[in-house]
Amino acid sequence: MNVELINIFGDDLMVVNAARVSYGKESEELNNKDERLINFLVEHKHIAPFRHPQLQFRITCPIYVERQLRKHEIGMELGLAPEPNSSINSISGRYVDFSDSYTTIKEWRKQSTSSKQGSEGLVDNQLACQDIEDRIIETCKKAYDDLLELGVSKEQARTILPLNLNTTYIWTGSLLSFLHLFNLRLKKDTQAETREIANLLLEEVIKSGEFDITLKAFGLN
């Protein structure tokens, strides 16, 4: 799995000036007063200024992880009505063959006894679980290739590939969108593999250094 922050539009100063325009004012560089303003916006849930900055990522992850993340493609808000806040374009199995790229499970976990959708602890026989996964990948890949040999279109042949097939996509969204994503997908009850991607996304934003004050205000830095 891999995450790359490929474009940024805006920074903490953009957030501040989006808020200050209400009073016909503008800051040229950040100061302590601006930091207090960002904290005030977060505390009182005046979230519109955080929609202005935009982030663009290139993400490679298994399809089942992409599905969990893309629940936030629409409605990525803090308790407000859903609205479109991001755009996603993915590699397409209709055009290219990417059937040889998979993310295998590192550690097989047991079903949680307290959550229908969660997991806890490790399965005893890890090697047996890994063997099953390896055989499924090999079988599905061969079946895919056999269908192509028979003249079946890629758009139909891909339907037999498993969910741990890797996909690559570009995801562009508002800063607010990703702040909400972090708030939801960094929680302990999130599937570990999805939480890993969310952590990588956050690490990229932190490394950029453009939103240090905002991340701190949201408790993310």
Side-chain angles (χ1 to χ4, degrees), residues 27-189:
S27 293
E28 294 185 0
E29 60 181 42
L30 289 167
N31 54 45
N32 291 337
K33 190 175 181 180
D34 294 324
E35 183 171 358
R36 290 195 298 272
L37 173 58
I38 289 178
N39 288 325
F40 176 87
L41 294 172
V42 174
E43 181 181 356
H44 295 277
K45 297 185 178 180
H46 297 315
I47 59 176
F50 299 100
R51 290 196 186 101
H52 292 275
Q54 301 289 305
L55 303 171
Q56 186 179 69
F57 295 94
R58 179 180 285 107
I59 302 169
T60 298
C61 66
I63 291 173
Y64 69 88
V65 172
E66 179 203 22
R67 286 183 176 179
Q68 287 194 342
L69 292 171
R70 288 188 65 171
K71 291 179 181 179
H72 308 285
E73 186 176 1
I74 294 178
M76 296 171 72
E77 294 296 342
L78 302 179
L80 298 184
E83 62 176 88
N85 285 285
S86 67
S87 179
I88 293 178
N89 287 87
S90 302
I91 189 171
S92 175
R94 297 183 68 191
Y95 304 119
V96 297
D97 177 1
F98 59 100
S99 61
D100 58 353
S101 176
Y102 298 88
T103 294
T104 56
I105 297 296
K106 298 175 184 177
E107 294 181 323
W108 294 90
R109 301 184 297 272
K110 296 179 182 179
Q111 177 63 41
S112 171
T113 57
S114 59
S115 170
K116 292 182 179 180
Q117 64 179 13
S119 59
E120 59 184 13
L122 298 180
V123 172
D124 292 333
N125 197 334
Q126 293 285 315
L127 291 178
C129 296
Q130 188 60 59
D131 180 63
I132 291 172
E133 183 183 48
D134 291 343
R135 285 189 285 111
I136 287 296
I137 291 174
E138 183 179 353
T139 298
C140 290
K141 171 60 177 169
K142 184 179 186 306
Y144 175 84
D145 291 338
D146 288 346
L147 288 171
L148 294 185
E149 283 292 322
L150 291 169
V152 174
S153 63
K154 289 192 291 291
E155 68 178 3
Q156 288 186 314
R158 63 180 175 166
T159 61
I160 55 86
L161 295 172
L163 288 177
N164 65 346
L165 178 71
N166 284 332
T167 184
T168 297
Y169 60 102
I170 290 178
W171 194 0
T172 305
S174 69
L175 173 63
L176 180 64
S177 299
F178 289 105
L179 291 171
H180 188 48
L181 171 71
F182 300 147
N183 180 56
L184 292 177
R185 292 304 179 190
L186 291 176
K187 292 181 178 179
K188 292 183 179 179
D189 61 352

